[in-house]
Amino acid sequence: MASPYRWSAFLACILASIGSAQTLREAADHAGVLIGTAVRPSQFSETRYASVLAREFNMVEPEDALKWWVLRPDRRTYDFRAGDEVVHFAQTHQMKVRGHCLVWGRDNPDWLAKGHFTSRQLSHLLRDHISRVMKHYAGEVFAWDVVNEALDESGKPRDSIWYDQPGIGFAGKGTEYIEQLFRWAHKADPHALLFYNEAEGETLNRKSDAIYAMVKNFKKSGVPIDGVGLQMHISTDIDVESMTAAVSANIARLAALGVQIHVTELDVSVRVDSSGVASLDDLNRQAEVYRGVVRACLQNPGCTAIQTWGFTDKYSWIRSHSRGTRGQALFFDRDYQPKPSYRAVRDELSRDRLLKH
Ligand code: 9MR
C-alpha cells in the first residue's frame, strides 16, 4: 500500500498541475488534443477578439471564408482573400487551420445553384474547385471537410445539386459520389487529412449508423478518408450522462475503423430572455454539457480535436437562427469574459492529462 507521504505528494502534484493550465490552449496542448474555433476574419481587427483567439486556441477554421459563396463570386473567379487572412492569422500565432468545406448541397451561390448545369458540367466544376482550392492551401490547411452534411436523418443521401439534382453522374447510386469526391481531394493534396463532416450524427442514431457504414465501406474499398467530423450543435435540454456515453460509444466505433474523429462545430445553446440573457443555473448546466463532450472525446485517442463554432457570444449564429429564443452558446460572453463553460473545459482537459500520467 502507498505511504501517506506518497499520497500527499501525488495530490500536491495534481493540484499544482491543475492550477498550471492558464488557458484552454495550454490545457489542450498537455492533453494532446487540438482546441479550435470557427473564426470570422472580418473580426481580426477587433483587438479583444484577436487576443483571446490567439491566447486560447491552437486551431482555427474559417466559419464561412472557404465556402463557395465567399470563394466563388462567379463561375470564373476564385477569391482567396478572406481564407488567406485566416491562414495568415494562424501562422502568426502558431495555430493549425482546418478547411471547411469543399462540397455542400446548401448555401451555394445563385450562379451555381440556379445555373441549370448538366451533370458533366457540374462534375468538371466541382473537380476544378476541389483541385484549385486544395492546391492553393496545400501545406497550410492540414485537414479538410471534403463533404458536409450529405446524409438525411434516416441516413440516406440528401437530394442535392451534387448528388441527384442533377448530380455529378452518380444519381441513385448512394454514397458513390462521395467516394469520388474523396478521391479527387486526395489527388489534389495527398498530404491533407480528409474528413466527412455531419450534423446530428454524434450519438447513436440512424444517421450515425449510416456514417459508420459508409466509412467502413470506404475503408474496405480503399477510399482515402481520414476522419469524421461530429458537428455537435447541441443544447442544455439533454441528459448529460447519456449523451456522454452515446457520443463516446460512437467515437469508439468510428475510431476502431481507423479514422480520426474531430468535434467540429461544438456549441451548447441555452434559453435566453428577450434581452439575450440566460440564467446562471442554465450557464452552469451548459458547463456540464461541455464537460461531457470533452470527456467523451478524451476517452478515445482517436478523437484528436475539439472545436467550437465561435468563441464569444458576441458573434454566434445561434441567436438569429433561433429567432432570439436561444443564445449564449460559447465560452466567452459578449465582453469576452470567460463563462462557467470555459472553466469546465479547461479543468476537464487538465484532468485528463493527469490521469494519463
Ligand atoms: O455559421 C455559419 C453561418 O455564418 C452561415 O451563414 C451558414 C451558411 O453558410 O453556415 C453556418 O455554419 C454552418 C456550417 O457551415 C455547417 N454546419 C452548420 C453550421 C451552422 O448553420
Side-chain angles (χ1 to χ4, degrees):
M1 208 177 134
S3 73
Y5 168 75
R6 284 188 55 201
W7 274 114
S8 60
F10 179 57
L11 263 180
C13 167
I14 287 189
L15 292 173
S17 308
I18 287 177
S20 71
Q22 302 290 319
T23 62
L24 291 178
R25 187 173 180 160
E26 237 176 85
D29 280 347
H30 290 292
V33 72
L34 292 164
I35 183 89
T37 178
V39 294
R40 301 179 177 179
S42 51
Q43 253 53 75
F44 289 162
S45 55
E46 191 183 329
T47 315
R48 285 189 304 170
Y49 183 96
S51 65
V52 173
L53 175 59
R55 188 185 71 215
E56 300 292 342
F57 298 91
N58 56 24
M59 177 171 82
V60 285
E61 172 169 308
E63 182 169 349
D64 294 315
L66 295 179
K67 290 176 180 165
W68 278 72
W69 59 268
V70 180
L71 275 178
R72 307 292 304 276
D74 59 59
R75 188 175 171 177
R76 266 157 285 280
T77 311
Y78 282 82
D79 182 349
F80 291 113
R81 284 174 301 178
D84 289 356
E85 274 187 66
V86 176
V87 169
H88 178 70
F89 186 95
Q91 287 175 345
T92 308
H93 300 285
Q94 293 83 46
M95 302 161 119
K96 291 202 169 232
V97 184
R98 265 192 116 259
H100 171 83
C101 51
L102 295 164
V103 186
W104 189 12
R106 267 189 44 200
D107 289 314
N108 286 313
D110 276 355
W111 67 261
L112 172 67
K114 299 181 181 162
H116 302 289
F117 294 107
T118 63
S119 287
R120 209 179 141 73
Q121 287 172 318
L122 283 175
S123 173
H124 281 130
L125 267 169
L126 187 51
R127 187 175 189 171
D128 185 61
H129 180 86
I130 291 173
S131 171
R132 290 279 294 274
V133 176
M134 288 187 78
K135 284 184 196 304
H136 181 86
Y137 289 111
E140 296 176 335
V141 168
F142 84 108
W144 278 99
D145 288 335
V146 178
V147 183
N148 185 51
E149 297 171 33
L151 301 176
D152 69 16
E153 288 61 40
S154 70
K156 298 212 171 58
R158 277 183 195 285
D159 296 337
S160 80
I161 186 172
W162 307 122
Y163 173 49
D164 59 351
Q165 295 181 349
I168 57 166
F170 298 87
K173 295 187 177 164
T175 57
E176 270 184 50
Y177 85 103
I178 301 179
E179 202 171 314
Q180 175 67 267
L181 302 172
F182 276 87
R183 292 193 194 280
W184 284 343
H186 182 65
K187 208 156 190 198
D189 180 0
H191 301 294
L193 295 175
L194 307 181
F195 277 70
Y196 176 75
N197 191 50
E198 187 56 89
E200 292 164 356
E202 295 92 21
T203 56
L204 300 170
N205 55 33
R206 285 199 291 171
K207 197 190 269 190
S208 64
D209 288 350
I211 297 170
Y212 175 75
M214 175 176 80
V215 174
K216 191 171 180 187
N217 170 38
F218 282 8
K219 279 286 180 191
K220 206 175 73 198
S221 26
V223 179
I225 186 168
D226 301 292
V228 173
L230 304 178
Q231 291 189 5
M232 295 251 184
H233 294 291
I234 54 180
S235 78
T236 44
D237 303 333
I238 50 159
D239 179 74
V240 179
E241 256 179 56
S242 53
M243 177 276 293
T244 306
V247 171
S248 175
N250 193 32
I251 288 175
R253 68 173 172 170
L254 288 168
L257 296 175
V259 290
Q260 294 187 37
I261 294 87
H262 286 177
V263 173
T264 50
E265 303 185 14
L266 176 61
D267 50 22
V268 181
S269 72
V270 296
R271 272 184 303 275
V272 292
D273 65 19
S274 53
S275 345
V277 178
S279 73
L280 187 57
D281 271 2
D282 279 347
L283 293 180
N284 285 331
R285 206 176 141 60
Q286 174 187 51
E288 292 316 303
V289 177
Y290 267 108
R291 190 191 291 280
V293 174
V294 173
R295 191 168 289 167
C297 174
L298 294 184
Q299 272 164 5
N300 195 303
C303 184
T304 49
I306 300 169
Q307 176 172 264
T308 53
W309 208 235
F311 58 97
T312 162
D313 294 336
K314 190 171 179 185
Y315 306 113
S316 159
W317 71 296
I318 297 285
R319 272 207 87 195
S320 63
H321 178 72
S322 69
R323 299 206 175 83
T325 61
R326 305 193 71 90
Q328 300 218 356
L330 298 165
F331 291 148
F332 294 89
D333 70 14
R334 298 178 62 84
D335 292 318
Y336 295 93
Q337 293 309 305
K339 294 158 59 186
S341 56
Y342 170 84
R343 287 180 283 274
V345 167
R346 195 184 54 187
D347 290 353
E348 200 57 37
L349 290 167
S350 307
R351 180 160 303 122
D352 183 72
R353 165 166 63 109
L354 291 166
L355 291 180
K356 276 192 201 154
H357 281 301

